[in-house]
Amino acid sequence: MQQTLVIIKPDAVNRCLVGEVVKRFEKKGLQIKAMKMEMLQPYILKEHYAHLKDKEFYEELIKFMSKIPSILMVLKGKEAVSVVRKMVGPTKGREAPPGTIRGDYSVSNQSNVVHASDSEENAKIEIERFFKKEEIYDFKKMNFDWIYSRDETYIDKTKK
Ligand code: UDP
Ligand code: MG
């Protein structure tokens, strides 16, 4: 099983889309291991978006992300990183296909509703960046045995 970080961004909070987005991940079968609202400070956003620091939209991105609180979540599932990225869709809202979260709820390059980790390695780094260990809960959900087949969970012991 993998874990991944999702941030429901300030545009989605302002547009009352939090429930919609959470509902999609829950209905897919992903497990919410952690969830909180937080006003993200520029220092942590600068670290989070360091790979974009030379882009012309970088300063605006930091301002946008720190304007009002975001919702942060840790989601767990088999191949959760790619499952969630597929659900989120490509970066630019106008280009994201219908059926994806960005495709259904965004027409913007910046205000694109959610952030999702793009690799297992980055997911680990990002979860540690935004969550303390004690904020992440490990428990077996009641419907777990109905979400995956036995061979995907008990018999298949590979990492994913
Ligand atoms: N972004 C932007 N303008 C652009 C491209 C990206 O403001 O032309 C913002 C957008 O909010 C995006 C974030 O920068 O989600 C991070 O960009 P990245 O390339 O990592 O895309 P993502 O992984 O979010 O799809
Ligand atoms: Mg990214």
Side-chain angles (χ1 to χ4, degrees), residues 129-142:
R129 176 173 298 137
F130 291 104
F131 282 93
K132 298 189 195 108
K133 271 209 169 68
E134 59 269 26
E135 290 175 321
I136 303 171
Y137 294 92
D138 242 330
F139 60 101
K140 188 179 172 192
K141 273 177 63 201
M142 205 171 57

Side-chain angles (χ1 to χ4, degrees), residues 77-141:
K78 223 175 149 58
E79 295 170 43
V81 171
S82 73
V83 166
V84 169
R85 284 289 287 196
K86 279 185 206 130
M87 289 178 75
V88 166
T91 306
K92 299 180 176 178
R94 291 190 294 281
E95 290 169 17
T100 63
I101 293 171
R102 287 167 170 169
D104 287 349
Y105 300 122
S106 167
V107 285
S108 168
N109 294 346
Q110 178 190 75
S111 302
N112 57 5
V113 184
V114 271
H115 164 82
S117 308
D118 61 8
S119 67
E120 187 169 26
E121 189 192 353
N122 282 338
K124 282 197 182 112
I125 295 168
E126 293 178 356
I127 290 167
E128 273 184 35
R129 176 173 298 137
F130 291 104
F131 282 93
K132 298 189 195 108
K133 271 209 169 68
E134 59 269 26
E135 290 175 321
I136 303 171
Y137 294 92
D138 242 330
F139 60 101
K140 188 179 172 192
K141 273 177 63 201

Side-chain angles (χ1 to χ4, degrees), residues 5-7 9 40-53 58 61-62 65 70 72 85 102 114-118 122-123 125-130:
L5 178 86
V6 167
I7 302 176
K9 296 182 179 183
L40 298 178
Q41 302 299 315
Y43 83 89
I44 204 166
L45 289 166
K46 283 179 184 167
E47 195 181 292
H48 182 62
Y49 286 126
H51 61 294
L52 299 170
K53 67 175 184 307
Y58 174 75
L61 175 64
I62 303 297
M65 288 294 295
S70 295
L72 296 101
R85 284 289 287 196
R102 287 167 170 169
V114 271
H115 164 82
S117 308
D118 61 8
N122 282 338
I125 295 168
E126 293 178 356
I127 290 167
E128 273 184 35
R129 176 173 298 137
F130 291 104

